Amino acid sequence: MKKIATLIGTALIGALALTGCGNKNTSGSASASSSSAKTEEKKVITVGYAQVGAESDWRLANTESFKKTFVAENGYNLIFDDAQQKQENQIKAIRNFIQQDVDYIVVAPVVETGWETVLKEAKDAGIPVILSDRQMSVSDESLYLCWVGGNFLKEGRDSVIWLDNYLKKIGRDKEEINIVDLQGTIGASAQIGRTKGIVEGIDARDNWKLVAQQSGDFTQKGGQEVMESILKSTPKIDVVFAENDNMAWGAVDAIKAAGKVPGKDIIIICFDAVRETFNRIISGEINCACECNPLHGPRVDEIIKALESGKTVEKVQYVNEGVFDEENAKEMLPTRAY
């Protein structure tokens, strides 16, 4: 790999510099000085980051985490690319990173499939690829080094457990419960995992019924438009699962416009748990938020530093996540970093 060749080259330069130091003439001093300068230059690690876009507050926090972590003071040069939620833009960005001979490529993939060709190009170039947030489905997992992110299936299952307990708490656990699932971008890892966790929970309960399921594409506008349409076609809705915060905010606006009270007439459960959602839980508009921690920058930094020191890393690395509702949101809000 390119990394090994670089380290060997640096070691040889260092050895020649030490030999020159034994000579007291001026040229020997100049050689040592030049070698030292080159060694200093090698300390800067160039990282190309292909981000999904800026479709949500979670994504903005995720981007900021990388931009604050991969700075010159920390030994990095970050090349950032916003794909505007288009896979073709991300593939183009990865190829540009390869041409620029970056040291590492980090990708938050728009969808799971369609990456094998460009990943092979990165592997052939000797550039490790780290996945952040969303995952890729490939036939050869050696095409990427590792993945860092939330456990989306667990998030979906956690939301179902919360709803089950909440219905018991308010005495509605024996009622027929009509449920709407506002899905994220179809094919994205977060959508796949959360949808699976929600649907398997609904299927396991005889009195829960999935009455509508549609994608709002992880955007507030999409969540509002889809919820408006579902409200018109579905007379009785008890629960809305919104597969991210922004869609939940859009759903809240649609529910209000329909003359209903969000959080009371319709129970709302969402994912991500950014600060604004905490405020909405405290105000009663949203009932529960399952966390998806966006602060991946420091974890990816740890991975790269470990690799640079010759260590191996785990293929899958989950970030810590919690579940928040009216019982703990107010207490936890001051501690939120996003």
Side-chain angles (χ1 to χ4, degrees), residues 275 278 324 328-337:
R275 289 183 66 90
F278 274 67
F324 306 96
N328 60 1
K330 189 172 183 179
E331 178 186 354
M332 296 300 297
L333 178 59
T335 70
R336 303 304 285 170

Side-chain angles (χ1 to χ4, degrees), residues 160-233:
V160 168
I161 291 170
W162 181 89
L163 177 59
D164 196 40
N165 290 332
Y166 184 70
L167 291 173
K168 291 175 182 176
K169 177 181 175 182
I170 62 176
R172 297 185 59 189
D173 55 307
K174 304 301 181 183
E175 295 180 19
E176 182 176 287
I177 303 296
N178 286 354
I179 297 172
V180 169
D181 178 22
L182 301 182
Q183 297 173 290
T185 302
I186 300 301
S189 298
Q191 176 272 314
I192 293 170
R194 291 168 187 167
T195 296
K196 182 178 180 181
I198 292 166
V199 171
E200 70 179 19
I202 294 171
D203 290 344
R205 291 159 175 83
D206 293 336
N207 61 322
W208 290 16
K209 182 180 179 182
L210 182 63
V211 295
Q213 186 179 54
Q214 192 172 336
S215 172
D217 209 26
F218 284 133
T219 68
Q220 185 166 343
K221 181 181 179 182
Q224 182 173 352
E225 290 176 350
V226 170
M227 194 66 216
E228 286 173 352
S229 175
I230 293 173
L231 283 163
K232 291 175 183 177
S233 62

Side-chain angles (χ1 to χ4, degrees), residues 176-310:
E176 182 176 287
I177 303 296
N178 286 354
I179 297 172
V180 169
D181 178 22
L182 301 182
Q183 297 173 290
T185 302
I186 300 301
S189 298
Q191 176 272 314
I192 293 170
R194 291 168 187 167
T195 296
K196 182 178 180 181
I198 292 166
V199 171
E200 70 179 19
I202 294 171
D203 290 344
R205 291 159 175 83
D206 293 336
N207 61 322
W208 290 16
K209 182 180 179 182
L210 182 63
V211 295
Q213 186 179 54
Q214 192 172 336
S215 172
D217 209 26
F218 284 133
T219 68
Q220 185 166 343
K221 181 181 179 182
Q224 182 173 352
E225 290 176 350
V226 170
M227 194 66 216
E228 286 173 352
S229 175
I230 293 173
L231 283 163
K232 291 175 183 177
S233 62
T234 310
K236 181 179 181 294
I237 299 172
D238 300 295
V239 177
V240 171
F241 286 96
E243 293 185 11
N244 83 334
D245 287 343
N246 289 71
M247 289 194 300
W249 305 343
V252 164
D253 292 338
I255 291 167
K256 286 180 177 178
K260 297 181 182 293
V261 181
K264 292 185 179 179
D265 294 334
I266 299 177
I267 297 166
I268 300 178
I269 304 164
C270 60
F271 301 82
D272 288 352
V274 299
R275 289 183 66 90
E276 176 57 23
T277 291
F278 274 67
N279 290 327
R280 290 173 182 253
I281 292 174
I282 293 167
S283 70
E285 287 185 347
I286 291 175
N287 302 87
C288 173
C290 295
E291 184 179 30
C292 183
N293 188 341
L295 306 183
H296 297 179
R299 178 62 66 85
V300 175
D301 171 45
E302 290 175 6
I303 290 169
I304 291 175
K305 293 290 175 62
L307 293 168
E308 289 292 307
S309 64

